[in-house]
Each structure stands twice: as C-alpha cells, then as structure tokens.
Amino acid sequence: MVAHMQNYHPITKSFWRFFFTFLPAIVVIVYYIIRDRQVLSILWPIHTKAGLKVHMSLLVRSISGCSAGVLQYYSLKYIPLGDSSAICNSYPVIVSILASIFLGEPFGIYMFLSTAVTFIGVVVVTQPPFLTGEDLNMNQLTGACLACGCSFGFAIAIVMIRHLKEIHHSIILLYFGGYGTIETFIMTLEFGVLEFPELELSNIEVYMAVGIGIMSFVSQIFLIFALKCDNAGKTK
C-alpha cells in the first residue's frame, strides 16, 4: 500500500502509520486501566534509577523503530520495492550480532555464515560499478543506504523490545506510536508535506491510509509478544 500511494510524501505516509498505531494503543491502555490493571505503575516514579532506565529504554526503542520506518518509506522513492525489502529484511543478522553483544545470546558459525551471505546480497542489490561495469547509479546508492539505515534501526528496535520483555505491550506501543506521531508531524510541517486523502467513502486511499497504521499496530503486537517468548536472535 505504501508503494502504491506514490502521490504522497514518505514522511506523510509515516505520519499516518504512527498516528493510527498510537490511537489503538491509547484504547488498549484505557481498557486495562478500567480493568484495574496497573500497566502504568512501572513508569513511576521517573526520578528513580529503575524508572529512568525504563523510560530511556522505551525512548531508544521508539527512536530506532520510528526512524527505521521513515527510512524504509524514503528508500521507495529511489529503488524498487523488491530491492528495498531485500535490504531492509537483512536486519535479522544484525539482530543476532547485537543480541549476542548486549543480551548475551549465542552467536554460532551458522549465524556467522548467514551474516556473510546477507552482506554479499546487500552488495549485489546496491549494484556497485565494479559489479555492473556501468557508471554509479546515485538513486540506487541512495535508496540502498536508506534501506541499510532502516535495517539497522529495526535491529536496534528488536533488541530493545527483547530487553523490555517485562514491560506491558501497551506501554511499548504507546511510546512507539506517540513518539513516531510527534516526530513525523513536526517533519511534515517542516517540509510542508502534511496532507490527507479526500474524506470520501468511495476513496480507497482513505482506507489504505488507515490500513497502513492498523497493520503496523497489529504487526507490532505480534512482534512484542514473540520477543517476550523467545530470544531476539530467533524472533525475526
């Protein structure tokens, strides 16, 4: 859907994604509060070492995840969806390396070989002149760099979600959607690209804009629950 809506700026589409992730997260938190579930208690008091650590971890997860989403959408301006997806989806090997360093998860010969193969694949997709024999394609290089940044951002976000496995999923989603909404809203105002599809029942772009956010919300829930149950290096 993101690739289909070429008439809208990538940051605008990112804003839709985070806004329609943020709204359901608020509903979920209100639901648990009504059910007398103390989901917010772990965030307070913020001035303690434990509270500050939780807030900083949530902030790092939000910044990395939101930035990755924006970079992924931006890469589609320069390279085809297939190339962008191939590079962005190389994040599992980065996750394994980071999880081994920061979470103490195992990193064996299999993951080493996977890392090498993935690196070769990224180089091939980038199409450097020494492989193609042609002049350097700046659009291809720019798109590939943006997609690589997206891959690193996703990897950091996944490791942080695993680190936050004791935190309620609604809190992680609230931070993610809230930070992303604020960041992309400011960026759309700065670049003057804030716009919405015409609000008509027959306009399929309205449903696609909402769908981008709803699918992001659902996918984030599945990802968070998966990382609560298994190592970051295995959940990719």
Side-chain angles (χ1 to χ4, degrees), residues 81-108:
L81 176 61
D83 290 352
S84 175
S85 298
I87 298 176
C88 291
N89 289 327
S90 66
Y91 70 86
V93 295
I94 305 174
V95 169
S96 297
I97 295 172
L98 295 179
S100 175
I101 296 172
F102 296 106
L103 302 180
E105 296 183 6
F107 185 85

Side-chain angles (χ1 to χ4, degrees), residues 16 20 89 93 101 115 137 144 152 156 168-169 173 194 201 221 235:
W16 300 338
F20 288 111
N89 289 327
V93 295
I101 296 172
T115 302
N137 187 329
F152 275 97
I156 295 172
H168 197 271
H169 64 276
L173 283 169
L194 181 61
L201 292 177
I221 287 181
T235 310

Side-chain angles (χ1 to χ4, degrees), residues 206-227:
V206 173
Y207 303 102
M208 294 178 72
V210 176
I212 289 171
I214 298 301
M215 286 193 292
S216 172
F217 175 79
V218 174
S219 64
Q220 287 294 317
I221 287 181
F222 282 117
L223 176 61
I224 292 169
F225 276 111
L227 288 166

Side-chain angles (χ1 to χ4, degrees), residues 160-173:
M160 292 308 301
I161 293 174
R162 176 60 180 173
H163 174 67
L164 293 164
K165 61 182 178 180
E166 302 300 329
I167 307 299
H168 197 271
H169 64 276
S170 62
I171 300 299
I172 300 176
L173 283 169

Side-chain angles (χ1 to χ4, degrees), residues 2-218:
V2 174
H4 175 77
M5 302 177 75
Q6 293 289 343
N7 295 330
Y8 298 93
H9 196 278
I11 298 178
T12 302
K13 290 181 280 190
S14 297
F15 172 73
W16 300 338
R17 174 194 178 186
F18 295 122
F19 181 71
F20 288 111
T21 299
F22 181 55
L23 288 184
I26 295 176
V27 174
V28 172
I29 287 182
V30 171
Y31 168 79
Y32 281 111
I33 291 176
I34 293 174
R35 295 287 300 273
D36 201 25
R37 294 279 296 276
Q38 302 300 317
V39 295
L40 298 176
S41 60
I42 197 168
L43 300 177
W44 311 106
I46 191 174
H47 63 271
T48 64
K49 184 177 180 180
L52 184 61
K53 183 179 179 180
V54 171
H55 280 279
M56 290 302 297
S57 298
L58 286 167
L59 185 60
V60 172
R61 180 269 179 273
S62 300
I63 292 174
S64 58
C66 296
S67 300
V70 173
L71 290 173
Q72 183 182 29
Y73 289 1
Y74 244 117
S75 70
L76 295 174
K77 288 189 66 177
Y78 300 96
I79 56 177
L81 176 61
D83 290 352
S84 175
S85 298
I87 298 176
C88 291
N89 289 327
S90 66
Y91 70 86
V93 295
I94 305 174
V95 169
S96 297
I97 295 172
L98 295 179
S100 175
I101 296 172
F102 296 106
L103 302 180
E105 296 183 6
F107 185 85
I109 185 64
Y110 171 76
M111 289 311 306
F112 174 79
L113 293 175
S114 297
T115 302
V117 172
T118 301
F119 177 76
I120 294 172
V122 171
V123 172
V124 171
V125 171
T126 306
Q127 298 179 11
F130 68 84
L131 285 181
T132 62
E134 301 175 354
D135 293 335
L136 181 64
N137 187 329
M138 288 306 300
N139 280 344
Q140 189 73 19
L141 180 61
T142 301
C145 289
L146 290 169
C148 284
C150 163
S151 184
F152 275 97
F154 276 143
I156 295 172
I158 287 177
V159 172
M160 292 308 301
I161 293 174
R162 176 60 180 173
H163 174 67
L164 293 164
K165 61 182 178 180
E166 302 300 329
I167 307 299
H168 197 271
H169 64 276
S170 62
I171 300 299
I172 300 176
L173 283 169
L174 183 71
Y175 254 82
F176 174 70
Y179 175 85
T181 299
I182 294 171
E183 177 187 284
T184 53
F185 180 71
I186 294 173
M187 293 176 70
T188 54
L189 294 180
E190 180 69 23
F191 291 105
V193 294
L194 181 61
E195 55 183 334
F196 301 92
E198 293 186 15
L199 293 177
E200 298 178 358
L201 292 177
S202 59
N203 187 2
I204 191 173
E205 290 186 342
V206 173
Y207 303 102
M208 294 178 72
V210 176
I212 289 171
I214 298 301
M215 286 193 292
S216 172
F217 175 79
V218 174

